[in-house]
C-alpha cells in the first residue's frame, strides 16, 4: 500500500516545490513553541501596530490603571547549534542522494536549498525578534497611555540569556523617548532568581531536568504508529531508506520550516514535505515533551514558579497600599523578559490550559481537542500582563481595586469568576494558598529519603 501511494505523493511534492503556496502553507498553526506571534494575532500581519479587535471587559469608565506587570518571552530567535547540526546532517544526506538519483526531484530540490544557518547563531535573537519586542512595547504604550506617559518609571529585568537581554533592550527602544530616563537607554537588570527559577530549584533540576524518566513518553511516541507513518511517507518522498530517518531528523526539518517563516517570513521548500497529518503529529510530539518537562506533568514544574508569582503580588499589594495612602505609585511599570520555560510554568501554577487527561504516547487521538497547545500560548514574544486599576465612584470598597489579565494581548478570563475582570480582593482570595503557603525553599528542597523520581513527583 505504501509503495502504491508513494508516486502520487512524490508528484504532489514536485508540484509544491515548483509552485510554492503562500507563506505557512496552512501548517503554521502547528509549530508549537517555535510559532510566530502573528499566528494568534493575524491582524498584525498587515499592521504590526494594530491593537486588533476591541478587548472588551467590564471595567467602569471611572477606572484608571495603577500598575502594569508584564512577563514576556523573548522575541523570534535563530535555531540552536544542535538543531543546525541535525539539519546539516539531513541536508548532507540529501546532497549525496541527489548526486546519484535524478529520479528523486524532491531530494534534489531540497539539496539545492542554501543551508545558510550557522552554529554560531546558536539561539540568538533574530532581527525579527527585535521588531517583535519594539512593536509589542509600542502597542502596550498605545493600549495604556496613562501608564506609559512621560516621566513614569519603568523597571526592566531579564534573565541572563543573551536573547532575553537583547529583547529587553529592544522593548525599551520601542518606547523611544516617551519615558524620561535621561537618555534613550535604560539598564536591563539581570534577575535569574525570578526569571530562571527552575535553575534554582534543586528538586526540579534533580528529579526532572536531569532525570530521563519524563522522556519515556516522548521516546515511546517517537517509536509509535503515528510517527512511523510520518517517517515512511517522508522517506519515500526523499527516496531514502526509512532506516536513514528518525523522529529527531524529521522534527528538525519541520522546525526549520517554522524558523524560515518566523525569521524571514518566507515559505521554506522544507514545507512541501509535510501534510496536515504530519504537522499534527509533530506538534503533539513537541507538546508531549513540554507537558512533562515544564507543564502539568509534574507538580514541581509549576510549583517552582511560586517565587515569581508571589513577587507579582508583592508589587500589586505595594501599589494598592501606596494608592490608599495617596502616594505616587513607585513601580507603575514592571516588565520582565524570560523564556517559555518562565511563562509556561507560571500559567500552569495559575491553573490555565489544564486538560482532564494527562498526555501520554498512546492517547494522541484523544488529545485532538486539547486545551494545551504550546503554539497557541507560549510562542515567540508571548506575554502575560497583569493590570491593576483604581476605580472611583464604585458602590463598595470591594470594587475600588480591580485587575485584568491579558495573555498575548487578549483578555484572559479568571478561574474563580469566568469573567475578564476581578476585584483584587477576590483574586487574592482565590490564590490565597499559593500566596501564603507556598515557600520556594521548601518546595524545591530535595527529599531526604531515598525515593525514586516517580514516587516523589
Amino acid at each position: 500500500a505504501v509503495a502504491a501511494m508513494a508516486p502520487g505523493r512524490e508528484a504532489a511534492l514536485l508540484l509544491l516545490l515548483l509552485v510554492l503556496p503562500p507563506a505557512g502553507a496552512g501548517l503554521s498553526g502547528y509549530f508549537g513553541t517555535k510559532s510566530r506571534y502573528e499566528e494568534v494575532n493575524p491582524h498584525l500581519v498587515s499592521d504590526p501596530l494594530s491593537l486588533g479587535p476591541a478587548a472588551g471587559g467590564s471595567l467602569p469608565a471611572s477606572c484608571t490603571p495603577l500598575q502594569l506587570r508584564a512577563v514576556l518571552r523573548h522575541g523570534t530567535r535563530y535555531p540552536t547549534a544542535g538543531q543546525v547540526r541535525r539539519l546539516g546532517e539531513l541536508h548532507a544526506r540529501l546532497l549525496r542522494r541527489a548526486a546519484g538519483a535524478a529520479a528523486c526531484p524532491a531530494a534534489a530540490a531540497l539539496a539545492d536549498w542554501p543551508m545558510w544557518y550557522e552554529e554560531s547563531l546558536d539561539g540568538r535573537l533574530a532581527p525579527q525578534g527585535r521588531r517583535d519586542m519594539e512593536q509589542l512595547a509600542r502597542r502596550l504604550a498605545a493600549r495604556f497611555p496613562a501608564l506609559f506617559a512621560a516621566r513614569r518609571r519603568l523597571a526592566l529585568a531579564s534573565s541572563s540569556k543573551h536573547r532575553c537581554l537583547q529583547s529587553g533592550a529592544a522593548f525599551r527602544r520601542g518606547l523611544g523617548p516617551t519615558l524620561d530616563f535621561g537618555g534613550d537607554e535604560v539598564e536591563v537588570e539581570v534577575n535569574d532568581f525570578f526569571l530562571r527559577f527552575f535553575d534554582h530549584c534543586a528538586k526540579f533540576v534533580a528529579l526532572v531536568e536531569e532525570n530521563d524518566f519524563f522522556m519515556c513518553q516522548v521516546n515511546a511516541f517517537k517509536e509509535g504508529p503515528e510517527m512511523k507513518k510520518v517517517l515512511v511517507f517522508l522517506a519515500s518522498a526523499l527516496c531514502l531508506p526509512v532506516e536513514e530517518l528518525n523522529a529527531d531528523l524529521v522534527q528538525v526539518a519541520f522546525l526549520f520550516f517554522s524558523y524560515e517563516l518566523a525569521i524571514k517570513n518566507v515559505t521554506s521548500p522544507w514545507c512541501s514535505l509535510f501534510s496536515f497529518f504530519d504537522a499534527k503529529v509533530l506538534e503533539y510530539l513537541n507538546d508531549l515533551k513540554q507537558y512533562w518537562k515544564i507543564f502539568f506533568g509534574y507538580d514541581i514544574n509549576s510549583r517552582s514558579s511560586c517565587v515569581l508569582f508571589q513577587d507579582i503580588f508583592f508589587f500589586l499589594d505595594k501599589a494598592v497600599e501606596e494608592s490608599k495612602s495617596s502616594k505616587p505609585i513607585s513601580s507603575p511599570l514592571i516588565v520582565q523578559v524570560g523564556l517559555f520555560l518562565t511563562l509556561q510554568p507560571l500559567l500552569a501554577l495559575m491553573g490555565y490550559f489544564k486538560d482532564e487527561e494527562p498526555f501520554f504516547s498512546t492517547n494522541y487521538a484523544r488529545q485532538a481537542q486539547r486545551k494545551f497547545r504550546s503554539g497557541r500560548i507560549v510562542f515567540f514574544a508571548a506575554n502575560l500582563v497583569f493590570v491593576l486599576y483604581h476605580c472611583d465612584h464604585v458602590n463598595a470598597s470591594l470594587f475600588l481595586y480591580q485587575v485584568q489579565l491579558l495573555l498575548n494581548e487578549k483578555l484572559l478570563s479568571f478561574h474563580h469568576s469566568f469573567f475578564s475582570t476581578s476585584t483584587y480582593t477576590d483574586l487574592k482570595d482565590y490564590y490565597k494558598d499559593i500566596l501564603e503557603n507556598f515557600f520556594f525553599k521548601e518546595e524545591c528542597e530535595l527529599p531526604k529519603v531515598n525515593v525514586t523520581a516517580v514516587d516523589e513527583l
Side-chain angles (χ1 to χ4, degrees):
V2 170
M5 295 175 68
R9 182 167 173 114
E10 185 172 295
L13 285 166
L14 178 58
L15 180 61
L16 286 168
L17 287 164
L18 293 174
V19 183
L20 285 174
L27 304 182
S28 54
Y30 301 97
F31 290 156
T33 55
K34 307 306 182 291
S35 298
R36 59 178 186 167
Y37 196 80
E38 291 81 2
E39 295 308 318
V40 169
N41 293 291
H43 58 275
L44 298 177
V45 174
S46 57
D47 182 2
L49 299 182
S50 169
L51 300 185
S58 54
L59 280 169
S62 61
C63 294
T64 56
L66 290 181
Q67 186 182 79
L68 180 147
R69 176 68 172 265
V71 181
L72 318 179
R73 185 191 177 192
H74 59 78
T76 303
R77 67 165 174 82
Y78 290 111
T80 63
Q83 291 167 340
V84 172
R85 281 194 297 273
R86 284 194 292 274
L87 186 71
E89 178 186 343
L90 178 58
H91 193 242
R93 292 184 188 185
L94 294 177
L95 282 170
R96 291 194 298 270
R97 180 66 185 139
C104 197
L110 288 170
D112 287 340
W113 172 77
M115 176 61 183
W116 64 273
Y117 295 97
E118 298 177 357
E119 291 185 31
S120 60
L121 294 172
D122 195 24
R124 300 178 77 84
L125 194 70
Q128 178 58 46
R130 296 184 179 89
R131 290 190 289 272
D132 292 338
M133 291 291 108
E134 292 170 0
Q135 292 162 359
L136 175 61
R138 293 176 66 181
R139 291 194 302 271
L140 287 176
R143 196 181 298 275
F144 301 102
L147 284 175
F148 285 84
R151 306 192 70 83
R152 301 304 295 271
R153 179 175 181 270
L154 168 65
L156 188 57
S158 164
S159 85
S160 57
K161 276 286 186 180
H162 193 268
R163 56 181 174 268
C164 297
L165 286 164
Q166 287 194 326
S167 291
F171 185 94
R172 173 64 188 94
R173 283 195 302 273
L175 298 174
T178 304
L179 302 179
D180 182 12
F181 293 104
D184 189 48
E185 296 298 324
V186 61
E187 182 179 354
V188 181
E189 175 196 358
V190 174
N191 194 326
D192 279 342
F193 183 64
F194 286 136
L195 297 172
R196 294 184 64 85
F197 46 80
F198 40 87
D199 282 344
H200 298 267
C201 184
K203 183 185 288 186
F204 173 80
V205 172
L207 302 182
V208 180
E209 183 69 20
E210 295 179 351
N211 181 17
D212 290 335
F213 175 79
F214 82 90
M215 286 295 291
C216 290
Q217 292 297 325
V218 177
N219 292 332
F221 188 74
K222 288 180 180 180
E223 300 297 327
E226 294 88 3
M227 184 56 68
K228 285 184 177 178
K229 188 174 181 181
V230 173
L231 289 173
V232 166
F233 279 125
L234 262 68
S236 174
L238 295 173
C239 308
L240 292 172
V242 71
E243 295 78 14
E244 287 194 21
L245 288 182
N246 56 49
D248 292 334
L249 287 176
V250 169
Q251 190 175 32
V252 82
F254 190 63
L255 284 178
F256 275 80
F257 169 15
S258 70
Y259 280 125
E260 297 271 274
L261 182 59
I263 295 170
K264 290 186 169 184
N265 194 30
V266 299
T267 301
S268 170
W270 293 99
C271 82
S272 60
L273 292 176
F274 299 99
S275 68
F276 277 103
F277 175 83
D278 303 330
K280 291 176 181 179
V281 170
L282 291 165
E283 180 198 30
Y284 187 72
L285 174 60
N286 178 71
D287 287 350
L288 182 63
K289 180 179 179 179
Q290 306 312 331
Y291 176 86
W292 286 101
K293 185 174 181 180
I294 55 175
F295 209 51
F296 283 109
Y298 300 127
D299 285 345
I300 192 58
N301 297 348
S302 61
R303 294 171 82 96
S304 62
S305 71
C306 68
V307 65
L308 175 58
F309 186 74
Q310 290 164 354
D311 185 69
I312 290 170
F313 277 83
F314 172 84
F315 281 95
L316 290 171
D317 279 345
K318 186 177 181 181
V320 168
E321 292 306 314
E322 290 171 338
S323 173
K324 287 179 177 179
S325 303
S326 300
K327 296 178 180 178
I329 305 303
S330 56
S331 301
L333 294 170
I334 305 174
V335 177
Q336 297 169 298
V337 187
L339 308 168
F340 74 90
L341 294 160
T342 309
L343 190 53
Q344 198 161 281
L346 182 62
L347 287 166
L349 184 70
M350 296 175 69
Y352 285 102
F353 308 107
K354 185 173 186 178
D355 291 281
E356 293 183 5
E357 185 177 359
F359 286 27
F360 295 113
S361 62
T362 54
N363 63 354
Y364 164 76
R366 294 198 301 276
Q367 295 288 12
Q369 303 301 319
R370 63 190 183 275
K371 295 176 184 177
F372 174 57
R373 293 184 62 192
S374 59
R376 305 293 178 89
I377 305 167
V378 287
F379 36 77
F380 291 131
N383 51 88
L384 179 66
V385 177
F386 293 74
V387 186
L388 174 68
Y389 293 87
H390 176 266
C391 301
D392 291 322
H393 312 300
V394 291
N395 296 329
S397 60
L398 174 68
F399 296 96
L400 195 59
Y401 297 98
Q402 301 193 43
V403 184
Q404 286 187 330
L405 279 178
L406 290 91
L407 178 62
N408 302 318
E409 301 179 76
K410 297 178 180 179
L411 284 171
L412 192 61
S413 295
F414 293 98
H415 281 303
H416 61 277
S417 66
F418 302 105
F419 292 112
S420 59
T421 301
S422 170
T423 67
Y424 185 54
T425 301
D426 284 347
L427 183 62
K428 284 192 68 177
D429 284 345
Y430 183 73
Y431 289 115
K432 182 177 181 180
D433 186 44
I434 298 174
L435 293 172
E436 296 182 3
N437 299 320
F438 281 38
F439 301 96
F440 183 76
K441 183 178 179 181
E442 294 178 4
E443 294 293 336
C444 289
E445 188 176 19
L446 279 170
K448 293 181 173 58
V449 292
N450 186 22
V451 295
T452 65
V454 182
D455 293 334
E456 173 60 26
L457 298 173

